[in-house]
C-alpha cells in the first residue's frame, strides 16, 4: 500500500499529474483510466468521503464559473466534498494493479509541486501574480523609505554647515560703510596733523 497526502486546493491538478506519472511509468491510455478508476482511492482524512476518478477529471476541467455538482463546487473552492466537514486534506492511496505506486506517487507530487511553483513564480515577462505584485510593492516601499532617510540626513548636514537654503534660510544681513551727515569733527591738533591721523566718524548702514 502506497499513499500520500494532498491539500484540497491541490485536487484539481491531481488527475492530470497521476495520468502523466503513470504514462512515464510505461502505462497506456486505456490502462491509465482503468488504474485511476479501480486502483486509486482518494478520501478525506477527516470524514472519509471519497472522490472518484470521474469527479477528479471533472474538477480538473472545471472553470471559474463553477461546476454543476455541489460536491465539486466545494472542492473547487478548497473545502471538503462533504458539507460540514472542516478538513483541508485528502489521502491518495493505491495498492493493486501491479504498478510501482511509490515511484508513481513520488513523480505525481513532483509534477504537482512544479505546477504550483510555475503559477506563483512567473518569469519577468509573464503575467503578474499576487506574489510578484507583493514583492514589487514591498520594493517600492523600501526605496521610498531609503530616499526619505537620505533626504533628512542631507538636510541636517546642510543646516549644521550654515549654508543658506533658498526659500528656507533667512536672508543674510549686509553691512555697508557709507559717509553720513554726522556733526563736524573738531579740528585735529597740531600733533595729529603731523601724524596724518584723523578721528572722523563713519556711519554704518545695514541692509
Amino acid at each position: 500500500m502506497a499513499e500520500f497526502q494532498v491539500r484540497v486546493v491541490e485536487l484539481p491538478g491531481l488527475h492530470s499529474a497521476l495520468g502523466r506519472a503513470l504514462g512515464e511509468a510505461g502505462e497506456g491510455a486505456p490502462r491509465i483510466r482503468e488504474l485511476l478508476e479501480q486502483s486509486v482511492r482518494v478520501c478525506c482524512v477527516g470524514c472519509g468521503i471519497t472522490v472518484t476518478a470521474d469527479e477528479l477529471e471533472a474538477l480538473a476541467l472545471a472553470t471559474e464559473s463553477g461546476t454543476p455538482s455541489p460536491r465539486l463546487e466545494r472542492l473547487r473552492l478548497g473545502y471538503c466534498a462533504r458539507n460540514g466537514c472542516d478538513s483541508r486534506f485528502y489521502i491518495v492511496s493505491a495498492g493493486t494493479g501491479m504498478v510501482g505506486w511509490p515511484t508513481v506517487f513520488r513523480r505525481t507530487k513532483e509534477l504537482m509541486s512544479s505546477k504550483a511553483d510555475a503559477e506563483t513564480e512567473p518569469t519577468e515577462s509573464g503575467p503578474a501574480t499576487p506574489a510578484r505584485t507583493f514583492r514589487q510593492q514591498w520594493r517600492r516601499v523600501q526605496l521610498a523609505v531609503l530616499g526619505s532617510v537620505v533626504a533628512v540626513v542631507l538636510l541636517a548636514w546642510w543646516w549644521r554647515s550654515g549654508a543658506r537654503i533658498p526659500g528656507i534660510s533667512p536672508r543674510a544681513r549686509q553691512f555697508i560703510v557709507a559717509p553720513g551727515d554726522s556733526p563736524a569733527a573738531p579740528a585735529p591738533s597740531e600733533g595729529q596733523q603731523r601724524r596724518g591721523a584723523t578721528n572722523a566718524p563713519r556711519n554704518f548702514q545695514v541692509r
Side-chain angles (χ1 to χ4, degrees):
M1 173 70 69
E3 64 180 28
F4 70 100
Q5 182 173 277
V6 297
R7 295 178 299 165
V8 178
V9 293
E10 296 174 324
L11 288 179
L14 177 61
H15 188 272
S16 59
L18 273 172
R20 180 174 173 181
L22 287 169
E24 293 178 358
E27 303 292 342
R31 176 65 171 163
I32 291 175
R33 174 169 290 277
E34 178 185 345
L35 290 171
L36 292 178
E37 292 178 352
Q38 300 179 7
S39 300
V40 178
R41 186 169 183 266
V42 181
C43 65
C44 174
V45 299
C47 65
I49 190 173
T50 60
V51 179
T52 66
D54 291 339
E55 288 177 328
L56 288 176
E57 185 176 7
L59 184 62
L61 301 176
T63 62
E64 293 295 330
S65 59
T67 61
S69 169
R71 285 165 50 95
L72 295 183
E73 182 64 17
R74 288 183 57 82
L75 292 173
R76 187 182 69 85
L77 296 176
Y79 301 99
C80 177
R82 186 186 301 278
N83 188 17
C85 178
D86 296 330
S87 176
R88 295 293 185 271
F89 295 93
Y90 272 61
I91 290 291
V92 183
S93 61
T96 60
M98 302 298 293
V99 176
W101 288 111
T103 301
V104 171
F105 283 172
R106 182 166 53 251
R107 179 55 178 161
T108 300
K109 290 189 293 184
E110 292 175 355
L111 293 171
M112 294 175 66
S113 177
S114 62
K115 181 179 180 181
D117 293 340
E119 292 176 351
T120 57
E121 298 290 340
T123 59
E124 290 299 323
S125 59
T129 63
R132 180 180 177 185
T133 302
F134 174 79
R135 287 195 300 272
Q136 291 176 340
Q137 293 176 347
W138 177 243
R139 190 177 297 113
R140 294 192 189 101
V141 171
Q142 289 178 319
L143 293 176
V145 172
L146 180 60
S148 300
V149 172
V150 173
V152 170
V153 172
L154 290 177
L155 182 61
W157 172 81
W158 196 307
W159 185 271
R160 291 174 61 88
S161 66
R164 181 176 180 272
I165 303 176
I168 300 179
S169 301
R171 186 176 179 181
R173 302 178 67 183
Q174 299 179 356
F175 295 88
I176 300 177
V177 178
D181 297 333
S182 59
S189 63
E190 182 179 354
Q192 289 175 335
Q193 290 179 353
R194 286 197 299 270
R195 291 193 299 271
T198 179
N199 292 326
R202 296 181 177 180
N203 292 336
F204 290 88
Q205 296 180 359
V206 180
R207 295 184 180 179

